[in-house]
Amino acid sequence: MRRRWALLPVPLAVLAGCLGAPEAGPDGGPVDDDRPLVVVSGADLTSREGEGVRQALIDEWNADDGNRPARLVELPRTEDGQRSELIAALQSGSADFDVVNLDTTWVPEFAEAGLIRPLDDALLEAGFLAQAAEAGRWRGRAYAVPFNTDVGLLYYREDLLAALGGNPEDLPAGGTLGALIDDWPAGQEHPLYITQLRPYEGLTVNTLEALWSVGVELVDERGRYRGTEAELRRGLAELLRIADGAKLSERARDADETVALREFTGDGGGDGPSGVVLMRNWPFAYPQLDATLPAETGFGVLRLPGAAALGGQSLAVSADSARAADAERLIRFLTAEPGSQRRLLEAGFAPALREAYGVGEPDCAAAPRVVRRTEAERVPEGAVRGLPPGYPEFLWCALQEARARPASPYYPAFSRELRQEVAQLLAGGGSLEGTAERLHQSLALALEGRLPP
């Protein structure tokens, strides 16, 4: 017999107060008191209203009475709030968490601090994107399994692009984003470009993409600082080209992913002309745009010119979990089952499991460069629900080229220093030379663990 458990998302603070700290067993470890598994995750950006795909997958797990039930806890929407609240709860033992859904950049920090436990290496052998699987390792051991991954993409509005006398074929496959923006005229009715330049992780990602695109590497493979002031000046100059005030949307400097999406569609609520020609965003934006833009408004997506950052989340087991074996079974269900990962693709996530894409080993040199919105009735049978033909192959190939952010337990401090200085530069509060000089000093200190996290 199968039964369905009606377990809804619970706020983190409420759950912590209800569960309290786990009791200690005879060996000093926590006692398994038959509670459901507790899965802690960030908010689901693919869900416009109602239940998201992560909750739907937990419901599917709970429908089998052979599984220990699980409940989903969603963290605040702010990236920094998620990390700090989760660290506080795990360090204090104030809540009995089992599975934690971590941003890939958090894995070294959480592993080094002993907040998550090592996992069976076999959990990383399911055919994941190589960079995503590697992000789950720290000091040679497996600590987290990729759940979904992410990559920066470039979206365009066909109507606004045509108004500039352009078409998607004019958007180059190579070069850098700065060069692309330079090639288009300023002073147009609609802003040319919007991205995420608010001082949070989105600004760090945009900055790293600009630096990487002109060959600037700030961190080596061991997580040590290796930049120079000259390289920083060159990389920041590329970022300033991208953030050209004559072409950038006014909202970009205050934008996160959802604000950028609203501005791109013309739903930003401003007084000026609605809509932006180009937008850098993540894969979740594609189904959101398809659901938001009128049927007659065409749009498409292509790989980001230059370097694109790898994003995503990975699942780990709390070091204090008394239900680690069941937690690993749930992780395997969510990450290594093609059906579960396919559900993520249909919802707008980029799955980490190659099998979910149904594309075998695609020839990425011949894969679609641009994917356009397709009318639902013309989508052939067997295609991914809600996504046009060619999109899975396009997305998998974009992921193959994505760049992982630095792997270091001190990454949060590195990211904070980078975005704080860059935010001041973009606001006109400093010179390129002064910003490069200060960053050259502070980034080295951050990656040595000599600055607050």
Side-chain angles (χ1 to χ4, degrees):
M1 175 183 176
R2 295 167 71 87
R3 66 180 184 269
R4 187 171 184 85
W5 292 75
L7 296 173
L8 301 177
V10 182
L12 182 59
V14 172
L15 182 67
C18 292
L19 294 183
E23 297 179 3
D27 61 354
V31 175
D32 181 356
D33 55 8
D34 294 324
R35 287 183 187 144
L37 294 167
V38 177
V39 183
V40 187
S41 179
D44 185 347
L45 289 178
T46 67
S47 176
R48 299 186 70 239
E49 45 186 61
E51 182 181 284
V53 66
R54 290 173 181 154
Q55 181 62 50
L57 289 173
I58 296 294
D59 289 343
E60 186 176 332
W61 165 269
N62 288 337
D64 186 343
D65 62 3
N67 296 329
R68 182 193 291 265
R71 74 174 85 183
L72 178 66
V73 178
E74 290 195 346
L75 299 173
R77 281 192 177 270
T78 59
E79 185 267 346
D80 290 331
Q82 293 176 15
R83 174 181 158 273
S84 59
E85 189 166 354
L86 184 54
I87 287 175
L90 292 174
Q91 286 180 334
S92 68
S94 61
D96 200 4
F97 299 148
D98 299 292
V99 178
V100 287
N101 190 19
L102 303 176
D103 186 282
T104 55
T105 62
W106 301 350
V107 173
E109 180 188 20
F110 279 62
E112 192 79 2
L115 301 178
I116 54 178
R117 66 175 63 202
L119 302 175
D120 184 349
D121 270 358
L123 286 169
L124 288 177
E125 297 173 359
F128 297 114
L129 181 74
Q131 307 99 296
E134 186 59 29
R137 297 186 185 277
W138 180 243
R139 299 192 184 277
R141 303 189 72 177
Y143 279 93
V145 184
F147 184 24
N148 62 274
T149 187
D150 238 340
V151 61
L153 301 172
L154 185 66
Y155 293 84
Y156 66 87
R157 287 270 302 266
E158 287 187 357
D159 55 342
L160 303 185
L161 189 62
L164 293 179
N167 60 66
E169 285 66 35
D170 296 325
L171 301 173
T176 69
L177 185 58
L180 168 64
I181 290 173
D182 267 356
D183 285 343
W184 289 85
Q188 302 300 311
E189 179 183 9
H190 294 270
L192 178 66
Y193 183 63
I194 188 164
T195 187
Q196 304 81 38
L197 299 181
R198 181 168 66 79
Y200 76 117
E201 186 64 20
L203 178 54
T204 298
V205 165
N206 275 265
T207 303
L208 288 174
E209 288 175 342
L211 269 61
W212 292 335
S213 293
V214 292
V216 176
E217 304 288 343
L218 296 181
V219 186
D220 68 15
E221 65 280 358
R222 297 178 63 183
R224 298 174 303 191
Y225 180 70
R226 53 164 287 186
T228 68
E229 285 189 46
E231 289 175 326
L232 281 164
R233 287 194 298 271
R234 179 156 51 92
L236 292 173
E238 173 69 7
L239 180 65
L240 290 175
R241 278 211 300 173
I242 294 169
D244 183 343
K247 302 175 186 179
L248 189 72
S249 166
E250 292 180 356
R251 293 298 307 278
R253 291 189 177 89
D254 297 317
D256 59 9
E257 291 83 358
T258 54
V259 170
L261 196 62
R262 289 198 301 269
E263 291 296 309
F264 181 72
T265 61
D267 190 30
D271 296 329
S274 62
V276 180
V277 183
L278 304 173
M279 172 183 68
R280 182 232 177 264
N281 219 317
W282 305 99
F284 90 97
Y286 195 100
Q288 297 276 326
L289 291 171
D290 197 39
T292 302
L293 286 172
E296 64 274 13
T297 302
F299 72 90
V301 61
L302 66 156
R303 298 182 207 177
L304 195 68
L310 183 75
Q313 288 79 44
S314 297
L315 300 176
V317 178
S318 165
D320 291 332
S321 173
R323 296 162 287 278
D326 285 322
E328 287 196 5
R329 285 186 61 240
L330 174 58
I331 288 175
R332 193 182 302 273
F333 167 79
L334 293 171
T335 62
E337 289 290 335
S340 298
Q341 289 277 295
R342 180 81 166 192
R343 293 274 296 277
L344 292 176
L345 180 61
E346 292 171 348
F349 282 109
L353 187 70
R354 180 174 59 82
E355 192 175 349
Y357 292 81
V359 295
E361 292 284 357
D363 177 4
C364 288
R369 187 178 72 83
V370 178
V371 176
R372 293 179 172 88
R373 184 184 205 177
T374 304
E375 294 178 11
E377 60 267 24
R378 295 195 313 212
V379 176
E381 186 176 352
V384 178
R385 179 168 57 86
L387 297 171
Y391 182 84
E393 184 180 11
F394 158 83
L395 181 55
W396 179 255
C397 289
L399 288 164
Q400 294 272 47
E401 298 178 358
R403 295 282 309 270
R405 285 165 284 171
S408 168
Y410 309 118
Y411 177 82
F414 167 88
S415 176
R416 183 194 64 235
E417 294 299 312
L418 185 62
R419 66 181 182 253
Q420 285 181 349
E421 287 289 347
V422 169
Q424 290 185 19
L425 176 65
L426 293 178
S431 68
L432 188 151
E433 292 76 15
T435 301
E437 181 181 0
R438 289 189 298 274
L439 280 174
H440 182 59
Q441 298 173 4
S442 65
L443 294 182
L445 294 174
L447 289 173
E448 292 169 5
R450 296 166 61 186
L451 296 179

